[in-house]
Amino acid sequence: MSRPEFTVLARDPGTAARRGRLVTAHGTVETPAFMPVGTAGSVKAMTPQEVAGLGYTMILGNTYHLALRPGEEVVARLGGLHRFMGWERSILTDSGGFQVLSLAERRAIDDDGVDFRSHLDGRLLRMTPERSMAIQAALGSDVAMAFDDCPALPSPPERLREAVRRTTAWARRSRDAFAQDDRALFGIVQGGDDRALREESAAAITAMGFEGHAIGGVSVGESAALSREVVAATAPLLPAGRPRYLMGMGTPADLVTMIGHGIDLFDCVLPTRNARNGSLFTSTGRILIKRAGYREDPRPIDPECGCEACRLYSRAYLRHLFVAGEILGLRLNTLHNLYHYARTIREARAAIEAGVYAAFRDAFLARIEAGEDEDVQPAPAAGAVAGDRDG
Ligand SMILES: [Zn+2]
């Protein structure tokens, strides 16, 4: 079996959007693609069969969480992460760097790696590029990520510079430690909100021969407008012939916008986590299902949605389940949000194929702009994003 291969099938004439195909040992991933987050070996509240049934072909697994519990050696002895969790399609694992820096306690970072205490039991552990590669190899993911230094925003310029320098050195060590087999290794570009640093990081990382490239260090405390600006400026710096992955970011409006900048892969906790908080995405925004106004509302979450929750149940029933703390409510909410993301991406792919992506994007964003967002929250302060990539 050879390394995963990426092919660009079509380019939209009016934007930078592309339709592509990533083929791994576990199947074909049509891009643009969204990866549900399977934090600790499960996409919360869904079975793998349900996730596949929604059309998803790749999910994300968290190296940090799986290494702490149950431990990558346990997963390896049970046949690797695919077999362990019963997911036969592709898996991308993150490097663990984000959680080590955001979730673990009493961390100390130096040029060699990061000392940290497990947030589960306080054990003192060390993560390095070599260790991250060994864990991801034991898990057997199809796409592994290089170990990077991902600072929150805002950070002082010297911290952003240090992170770029370290990310470059760690990318080289990750590549050198990565086994030559049928898996792919993606490099990560850092640089915060500093354009010159992003350019420097992109030049260094893309020179190392990775099979794909990610934009890291976005959605780490800054405004959504600034995130979009950073992605728009960084995406064109990444080689057009390899997949471009935007890490840990995305409302449906973000996805549709970023696809127009040439992003191929996304992951985000929003559809699953929001679902468990009763925040449901619709064609025109978001609704909070717990609101009293839905107590006797016979309408579905979204009249345009074809998911099981919308076909069979009313807002009134889903509100009742949520308020009563019924597990079924969390499952149906998650099912709906993941269906909504899958549908959005599917429509985006069709629009690229038809060469009308700009019109699709503008209409999609206009409906949300004109609609109502019941889940308006202030932007999180820096430091308040701890563990924000954990589904
Ligand atoms: Zn639905």
Side-chain angles (χ1 to χ4, degrees):
M1 182 69 203
S2 56
R3 292 263 175 126
E5 278 199 21
F6 181 69
T7 314
V8 175
L9 304 172
R11 291 172 199 280
D12 178 67
T15 69
R18 1 45 97 76
R19 253 293 275 129
R21 183 170 288 160
L22 178 67
V23 180
T24 79
H26 290 91
T28 297
V29 180
E30 303 290 347
T31 67
F34 178 81
M35 297 179 279
V37 177
T39 308
S42 111
V43 176
K44 290 191 197 305
M46 293 286 104
T47 69
Q49 289 68 28
E50 286 167 334
V51 175
L54 291 168
Y56 290 105
T57 52
M58 182 150 68
I59 60 169
L60 179 143
N62 281 127
T63 287
Y64 171 87
H65 289 286
L66 291 163
L68 291 187
R69 186 172 57 191
E72 76 277 10
E73 295 303 332
V74 171
V75 176
R77 283 195 292 274
L78 289 163
L81 187 55
H82 293 86
R83 184 170 300 174
F84 184 59
M85 66 178 288
W87 172 258
E88 295 173 350
R89 300 182 173 193
S90 301
I91 297 177
L92 178 148
T93 43
D94 65 6
S95 70
F98 184 83
Q99 278 81 16
V100 161
L101 289 167
S102 66
L103 192 61
E105 288 156 22
R106 282 188 272 175
R107 59 195 183 266
I109 184 167
D110 58 55
D111 282 348
D112 179 61
V114 185
D115 283 318
F116 65 97
R117 285 194 185 278
S118 159
H119 74 290
L120 295 176
D121 57 12
R123 260 184 308 161
L124 186 60
L125 299 162
R126 183 162 182 81
M127 189 70 91
T128 62
E130 293 76 16
R131 171 94 180 103
S132 173
M133 292 307 108
I135 298 169
Q136 294 182 74
L139 296 173
S141 55
D142 300 283
V143 178
M145 298 302 300
F147 190 62
D148 65 323
D149 182 0
C150 176
L153 286 174
S155 280
E158 55 273 21
R159 172 70 184 107
L160 294 179
R161 263 196 303 280
E162 176 190 64
V164 165
R165 179 179 59 76
R166 251 184 214 139
T167 293
T168 302
W170 289 357
R172 199 169 287 123
R173 282 167 58 190
S174 297
R175 189 202 54 197
D176 292 347
F178 186 72
Q180 302 291 311
D181 55 18
D182 62 354
R183 301 174 309 129
L185 181 63
F186 286 11
I188 302 176
V189 172
Q190 290 288 345
D193 53 356
D194 182 314
R195 192 166 188 144
L197 277 179
R198 285 280 171 186
E199 285 173 8
E200 181 189 326
S201 184
I205 297 298
T206 59
M208 291 186 202
F210 289 109
E211 280 88 25
H213 303 95
I215 302 174
V218 291
S219 201
V220 290
E222 77 283 17
S223 70
L226 183 54
S227 309
R228 289 182 184 192
E229 219 173 278
V230 167
V231 176
T234 308
L237 306 174
L238 307 180
R242 311 232 162 141
R244 299 175 178 140
Y245 164 29
L246 175 58
M247 300 188 78
M249 179 175 175
T251 62
D254 287 331
L255 265 52
V256 166
T257 304
M258 302 308 182
I259 287 171
H261 292 304
I263 300 295
D264 306 298
L265 293 169
F266 299 87
D267 80 282
C268 190
V269 297
L270 275 184
T272 42
R273 182 189 292 168
N274 279 22
R276 299 195 305 281
N277 294 324
S279 170
L280 307 178
F281 291 94
T282 70
S283 309
T284 54
R286 278 181 292 197
I287 68 165
L288 290 174
I289 198 67
K290 70 177 176 199
R291 282 174 58 149
Y294 299 133
R295 205 162 78 93
E296 298 190 29
D297 192 333
R299 293 174 298 164
I301 300 164
D302 183 350
E304 293 179 27
C305 181
C307 88
E308 187 182 334
C310 290
R311 278 189 288 110
L312 301 178
Y313 308 105
S314 63
R315 292 181 182 189
Y317 180 61
L318 293 165
R319 176 182 183 276
H320 159 71
L321 292 178
F322 187 78
V323 171
E326 287 291 330
I327 291 169
L328 181 59
L330 305 186
R331 282 183 37 72
L332 290 172
N333 290 353
T334 303
L335 186 78
H336 165 79
N337 274 357
L338 284 178
Y339 185 101
H340 183 77
Y341 269 63
R343 177 166 71 111
T344 300
I345 288 276
R346 207 165 43 238
E347 289 173 358
R349 286 200 293 256
I352 300 169
E353 284 168 8
V356 295
Y357 193 75
F360 165 79
R361 177 195 59 199
D362 295 347
F364 187 95
L365 298 177
R367 291 193 67 191
I368 290 176
E369 188 69 31
E372 193 182 3
D373 188 354
E374 296 180 356
D375 191 12
V376 182
Q377 290 164 349
V385 292
D388 209 34
R389 201 168 285 150
D390 312 313

